[in-house]
Amino acid sequence: MPVYSYADAVRESVWVNTPLDNDRDGVPDRVAVDVVRPRETADRGLKIPVILEASPYYSCCGRGNESERKQYDANGVITKQPLFYDNYFVPRGYAFVAADLAGTNRSTGCMDVGGREEVLSAKAVVDWLNGRATATYADGTPAVATTWTNGRTGMIGKSWDGSVANGVAATGVRGLETIVPIAAISSWYDYQRYNGVLRSPDYPEYLHRYVNGRPGTTCAPVVQQLDEGSDDATGNYNDYWAERDYRRDAGRVRASVLIAHGLNDTNVTTGQFAQWWSRLNVPKKVWLAQQGHVDPFDIRRDAWVALLHRWFDRYLQGLRNGIDREPQVTIETAPGTWVSERTWPAAAARKTRVALGDGDGVTGTLGGGSTSGSRTWTDNPDLSEQAAVAAPNSTVPGRVAFLSAPLTREVRVSGTPSVTLRVKVDQPTTELTARLVDYGTATRVNFDGRGEGITTLATESCWGASTALDDACYRDTAEDVVTNDLAVLARGWQDAAHHVSLRFVTPLRPGKWYSVTVPMQATDQRIAAGHVLGLIIQASDDEYSSPQSGGATITLDLRASALTLPLAGALPKPGATAPIVSTAPPAKRTAPPRFQPLLP
């Protein structure tokens, strides 16, 4: 219950010492940490748990839908923390701690974008809270946390902030009892590469500069390391990326995990949560919404705050409130419709192989197989997603289309689809792009819109206590919905020369047949009766990636190619030709996906 005074809370700024020195100044790097905690607990000698958000965004860009930044008084002591966590949880007996990641805002060191410095700088804060690291105030006097905290820490954050929570949990650090990663990265390779395909050139260096808080050329050597280690030239997975792959150490995670992710997030794509989730062997829960890169606080505010409150009470306060015995999964199945389920992917989903059929010679079928069919097309770098998925019964240069018959009953795709293509290419490599499409009119969340599925309203609601300098009130939001004729359910990309391994390039020999599997992003969607499921295949995708090769001519052997779906239900048997689907193209995207930074 909110029994402690937020207005009288202790507000202090400290600097935590780390064992690192990647800015090479001969002094251990220090992490700036801003604390808000109930004064009454200190007066009574009570020790309380901590909610920690470690972020690179506190000064450069802000947090939340309203881009709030930290604010300080004339003495450099925190007066305003972004977001509602301190306003809501400090009166309920928690401390809130906001840490500037190394190289950002008031911290020293240099940001290494998901690497050792970033993760260990945040881990040092957990160590300080548990008496294993030292800190000082601005005047150099010691700052000791164990006088007011029991060390039980929960990390939370959206996007980059949630990614570092994943990274710290993967160290197995003691005292970290739970994490809440929201739209978070679990593998930086998969964020900046799509199976060997470059997302955007010089992306690590771009992200470093976006959040860098150090003067001049202090971090030039680190930027050079980012450039060399990320290896744009090959797209290979190497030691640089392995250091930033938290999934490898999922077995070391001790903390419980509450995940939230948008099923239509094209910034931090859904494979990030799905592959992390599947490797965790701890108490866990997941919320999946139909939005894009959006915090659940701005989707379903009442329910999300209530869930967070119960989750932290259970895993930080130790209250046996039953949340650990409730269904693991909460999914938005349609705008405003939420269901709870026992597991994810859906228990009823089965891996289903769907053959690619000849169809009418223009559009193939999903199911039915092929006698001696093939398709040949030439890469069209200018082909947008909008044009690629529209008019599936027409010839569109640069893409091939396959359609199911109209569904006789609803089916559900729950998990990670993929398509295996038997191809012959006239160049040493090509990008291969696959899209799974639901053709049929429905009212859907407008995740392609400017708000990625939400609209910000003029009204406000308050979530916790306020002061004159830090209020708990935020503009309300509503789901942004649209009625349209189709929706892209999942996307996937693969560099054909990485078909053997992501660690090295195996150039294709022109004229030779190869089997290349294109993994798609995880999804959970229901396709209504009467709708048609489509598979669209093209080569390079300049909208979502930065292809390093283009112009290839590709021949696809239908007999040796197939779509693999995690399917609950069954697709109908195809007819002799692909069904006619009359669809208008989707609305033009208003938020370009390729160069989005990690903030909202």
Side-chain angles (χ1 to χ4, degrees), residues 471-545:
D471 71 70
C473 304
Y474 295 87
R475 293 180 67 184
D476 296 317
T477 58
E479 280 198 311
D480 178 14
V481 299
V482 62
T483 298
N484 54 22
D485 289 341
L486 64 89
V488 178
L489 306 181
R491 302 167 178 85
W493 305 267
Q494 175 74 43
D495 173 51
H498 282 88
H499 70 284
V500 175
S501 173
L502 294 178
R503 288 189 173 273
F504 52 82
V505 171
T506 306
L508 308 183
R509 289 171 51 192
K512 181 180 177 180
W513 289 100
Y514 294 87
S515 287
V516 181
T517 297
V518 183
M520 295 189 223
Q521 296 299 325
T523 190
D524 198 300
Q525 301 289 355
R526 290 158 169 81
I527 302 108
H531 286 206
V532 169
L533 186 64
L535 173 67
I536 305 297
I537 301 169
Q538 64 189 93
S540 61
D541 179 4
D542 193 49
E543 188 174 0
Y544 283 83
S545 66

Side-chain angles (χ1 to χ4, degrees), residues 195-219:
N195 300 299
V197 175
L198 192 64
R199 182 170 188 175
S200 180
D202 301 322
Y203 207 5
E205 303 96 293
Y206 162 78
L207 290 174
H208 168 94
R209 295 187 178 102
Y210 201 88
V211 301
N212 179 45
R214 304 306 307 283
T217 59
T218 300
C219 294

Side-chain angles (χ1 to χ4, degrees), residues 321-342:
N321 55 21
I323 196 169
D324 51 332
R325 298 190 299 274
E326 295 175 1
Q328 283 190 332
V329 184
T330 302
I331 304 177
E332 187 179 21
T333 61
T337 300
W338 295 79
V339 299
S340 295
E341 297 190 346
R342 182 172 56 85

Side-chain angles (χ1 to χ4, degrees), residues 271-536:
Q272 297 287 353
F273 91 81
Q275 294 200 45
W276 184 234
W277 170 266
S278 68
R279 289 165 169 80
L280 293 171
N281 188 27
V282 293
K284 59 185 180 179
K285 183 173 176 64
V286 64
W287 261 40
L288 301 175
Q290 289 292 331
Q291 276 70 19
H293 199 60
V294 179
D295 193 308
F297 182 74
D298 295 314
I299 299 171
R300 196 184 178 204
R301 193 166 289 180
D302 287 356
W304 176 249
V305 173
L307 174 62
L308 273 185
H309 187 177
R310 296 183 65 222
W311 188 266
F312 286 142
D313 276 358
R314 172 65 184 88
Y315 290 106
L316 296 182
Q317 299 281 11
L319 300 180
R320 301 281 179 175
N321 55 21
I323 196 169
D324 51 332
R325 298 190 299 274
E326 295 175 1
Q328 283 190 332
V329 184
T330 302
I331 304 177
E332 187 179 21
T333 61
T337 300
W338 295 79
V339 299
S340 295
E341 297 190 346
R342 182 172 56 85
T343 60
W344 192 87
R350 298 289 181 268
K351 187 178 290 187
T352 304
R353 184 182 185 275
V354 182
L356 305 185
D358 293 324
D360 60 6
V362 173
T363 304
T365 58
L366 290 180
S370 171
T371 54
S372 59
S374 65
R375 294 286 190 276
T376 299
W377 77 97
T378 299
D379 179 27
N380 178 4
D382 296 326
L383 183 63
S384 67
E385 178 176 279
Q386 180 182 4
V389 302
N393 288 105
S394 303
T395 299
V396 174
R399 74 108 202 258
V400 291
F402 300 87
L403 301 175
S404 74
L407 303 184
T408 56
R409 62 189 63 183
E410 180 185 88
V411 300
R412 179 180 177 185
V413 179
S414 178
T416 303
S418 66
V419 59
T420 298
L421 306 174
R422 183 74 169 170
V423 293
K424 186 168 57 176
V425 182
D426 68 347
Q427 293 184 173
T429 191
T430 184
E431 179 179 342
L432 293 169
T433 302
R435 290 180 170 88
L436 194 66
V437 186
D438 173 8
Y439 290 102
T441 302
T443 299
R444 300 177 170 99
V445 171
N446 185 27
F447 62 87
D448 271 342
R450 188 171 300 279
E452 298 194 53
I454 64 166
T455 298
T456 303
L457 307 177
T459 58
E460 283 191 336
S461 57
C462 302
W463 300 86
S466 298
T467 67
L469 298 176
D470 190 343
D471 71 70
C473 304
Y474 295 87
R475 293 180 67 184
D476 296 317
T477 58
E479 280 198 311
D480 178 14
V481 299
V482 62
T483 298
N484 54 22
D485 289 341
L486 64 89
V488 178
L489 306 181
R491 302 167 178 85
W493 305 267
Q494 175 74 43
D495 173 51
H498 282 88
H499 70 284
V500 175
S501 173
L502 294 178
R503 288 189 173 273
F504 52 82
V505 171
T506 306
L508 308 183
R509 289 171 51 192
K512 181 180 177 180
W513 289 100
Y514 294 87
S515 287
V516 181
T517 297
V518 183
M520 295 189 223
Q521 296 299 325
T523 190
D524 198 300
Q525 301 289 355
R526 290 158 169 81
I527 302 108
H531 286 206
V532 169
L533 186 64
L535 173 67
I536 305 297

